[in-house]
Amino acid sequence: MKEKDYFLSEDNCYQRLEDEFKRYGKLIFCVDFDDTLYDFHKLGRTYDFVINLLKRWEKYSEVVILTGNGEEKYKEIKDYLEKNKIKFKGINCDSSVSFGGRKTYGNVYIDDRGGLPSVYRILDKLITKIEKGEIVYE
């Protein structure tokens, strides 16, 4: 039987992030805004678990907000992030690691349309181990 693609295993995805954290001491998160942190459709949905996870990671991450919104919405987005005490580098900007391509570099992309439940589980597991001192920056 043929083995599945390597990163279709959540364990392999987790291990990659753990190894990168140990190597660099932080991870870069590229985070969607609408329906990941903010109730875009005004349906009364909350995003407290994702927001709280980002707060737990604050000391160990850089957050870049990637959104399809235009620049006319940036002030509203910034105000929302500040009101919710979400530390971020910028909106639709490059991360601190830049390779000159169109895609912003990130260790993790956090997006409601991109495997959010799996990403959440992996990041929660890793930050819990970091908080307990089980995993440290080498």
Side-chain angles (χ1 to χ4, degrees):
M1 177 166 41
K2 188 174 179 178
E3 189 174 325
K4 67 181 174 181
D5 297 349
Y6 187 79
F7 286 115
L8 287 178
S9 163
E10 198 168 286
D11 291 337
N12 293 339
C13 292
Y14 169 85
Q15 193 59 55
R16 179 187 209 176
L17 291 178
E18 181 182 304
D19 293 344
E20 289 174 348
F21 175 78
K22 286 178 181 176
R23 189 174 309 120
Y24 303 111
K26 76 172 188 175
L27 297 177
I28 298 171
F29 297 166
C30 295
V31 184
D32 178 43
F33 183 70
D34 294 330
D35 292 327
T36 301
L37 299 174
Y38 175 75
D39 186 10
F40 176 75
H41 298 286
K42 311 282 191 254
L43 298 172
R45 295 177 177 154
T46 61
Y47 298 89
D48 296 338
F49 282 85
V50 175
I51 290 169
N52 287 330
L53 182 68
L54 290 179
K55 289 177 182 180
R56 288 174 65 201
W57 271 98
E58 185 175 295
K59 214 164 93 173
Y60 308 104
S61 69
E62 172 181 302
V63 172
V64 174
I65 302 298
L66 294 182
T67 179
N69 287 297
E71 289 184 32
E72 71 281 357
K73 294 277 191 168
Y74 286 11
K75 181 177 179 344
E76 181 182 331
I77 292 168
K78 182 179 179 215
D79 290 347
Y80 177 87
L81 296 169
E82 289 174 352
K83 177 184 170 208
N84 285 280
K85 297 179 174 62
I86 300 170
K87 183 180 166 191
F88 65 103
K89 179 183 186 291
I91 301 169
N92 289 347
C93 64
D94 283 331
S95 67
S96 60
V97 177
S98 180
F99 293 105
R102 285 186 57 200
K103 183 177 177 182
T104 299
Y105 177 82
N107 302 98
V108 180
Y109 285 75
I110 303 172
D111 193 318
D112 61 301
R113 295 182 182 260
L116 183 58
S118 177
V119 170
Y120 180 88
R121 281 191 303 275
I122 290 168
L123 291 176
D124 182 60
K125 177 180 176 181
L126 182 54
I127 193 62
T128 298
K129 288 183 173 189
I130 292 167
E131 290 167 339
K132 289 180 179 179
E134 296 172 11
I135 296 172
V136 295
Y137 169 53
E138 298 170 346

